[in-house]
Amino acid sequence: MLEFENVSKSFWTGTQRKVILDRVSFKVELGNSMGILAPNGTGKTTLINMMAGLEKPDEGIIRRKCNISFPLGFMGGVVGKVSAMENSRYIARLYGLDPDYVESFCRWLCGLGEYFDQPLGTYSAGMRGRFSFALMLALDFDIYLIDEGMPGTTDAEFNRKAGDLLEERLRTTTIIIVSHQAETLEKFARSAAVLLDGQLHMFDTLEEAKQLYDYETH
């Protein structure tokens, strides 16, 4: 279970205080994958980073009673000076997993060929996104965090394999996916919420969330 209790978060932009969350409380139970709709600039990435423990709340309590992934696209745990091969084996050891398995899984899913043995610092944004996604799926989490869905890539084979794996994981794990587009959530979300003006409005279905989101943003 992931729980926020009276959580507040804001930033000073230089001219005004931008409120991301204002005394927000909610729970995500295991087995109930959730989509969160939020317009650009409202704090999607900040919210998902707080879920992962990468950012702390100003006030309130965040309880993590399960194993929660780093956000898709987060590269803070890898080293740009070394290869994807070396990074995958290092991360595997950190999580107590078989380095041979994690390396081979990432090689297979990324489809980067010889680039897998080159430093991450030489990768394009799309290649880094593919490696980050593969690494996340190679590890064993109760809740997977995804900010804006699949990494931006034109590689059809990667998109097919990664999409199939995500759908398979939905049968045994929980996904929290945050996006400004309802279409991104449709394949994965069973319940939904809308982030607006520092409040998280919870709904039982994505269709209900879309009605509020469309009304407020159009």
Side-chain angles (χ1 to χ4, degrees), residues 77-96:
V78 298
V79 181
K81 293 182 179 180
V82 301
S83 67
M85 181 272 288
E86 292 168 293
N87 272 290
S88 63
R89 297 183 71 85
Y90 172 70
I91 295 295
R93 292 186 185 98
L94 283 181
Y95 282 89

Side-chain angles (χ1 to χ4, degrees), residues 161-175:
K161 290 192 292 188
D164 289 347
L165 279 168
L166 263 183
E167 287 193 73
E168 181 181 324
R169 291 290 168 88
L170 270 174
R171 302 189 186 105
T172 57
T173 63
T174 303
I175 291 174

Side-chain angles (χ1 to χ4, degrees), residues 76-127:
V78 298
V79 181
K81 293 182 179 180
V82 301
S83 67
M85 181 272 288
E86 292 168 293
N87 272 290
S88 63
R89 297 183 71 85
Y90 172 70
I91 295 295
R93 292 186 185 98
L94 283 181
Y95 282 89
L97 299 174
D98 179 2
D100 290 340
Y101 165 76
V102 174
E103 177 193 343
S104 61
F105 179 93
C106 290
R107 279 187 186 274
W108 167 77
L109 181 55
C110 287
L112 295 173
E114 63 185 16
Y115 287 103
F116 198 83
D117 297 304
Q118 301 300 318
L120 259 64
T122 65
Y123 286 16
S124 67
M127 292 164 68

Side-chain angles (χ1 to χ4, degrees), residues 182-194:
E183 295 76 17
T184 306
L185 312 183
E186 287 175 349
K187 288 180 71 173
F188 308 113
R190 294 171 185 158
S191 62
V194 179

Side-chain angles (χ1 to χ4, degrees), residues 3-10 19-26 47 50 55-63 198-199:
E3 181 180 11
F4 278 45
E5 182 180 337
N6 294 321
V7 171
S8 295
K9 183 71 173 180
S10 63
V19 176
I20 306 299
L21 296 177
D22 183 13
R23 297 185 296 277
V24 167
S25 298
F26 67 93
L47 174 58
M50 291 172 69
E55 294 193 37
K56 295 182 179 180
D58 297 333
E59 297 177 352
I61 300 170
I62 300 176
R63 299 184 180 92
Q199 295 299 314

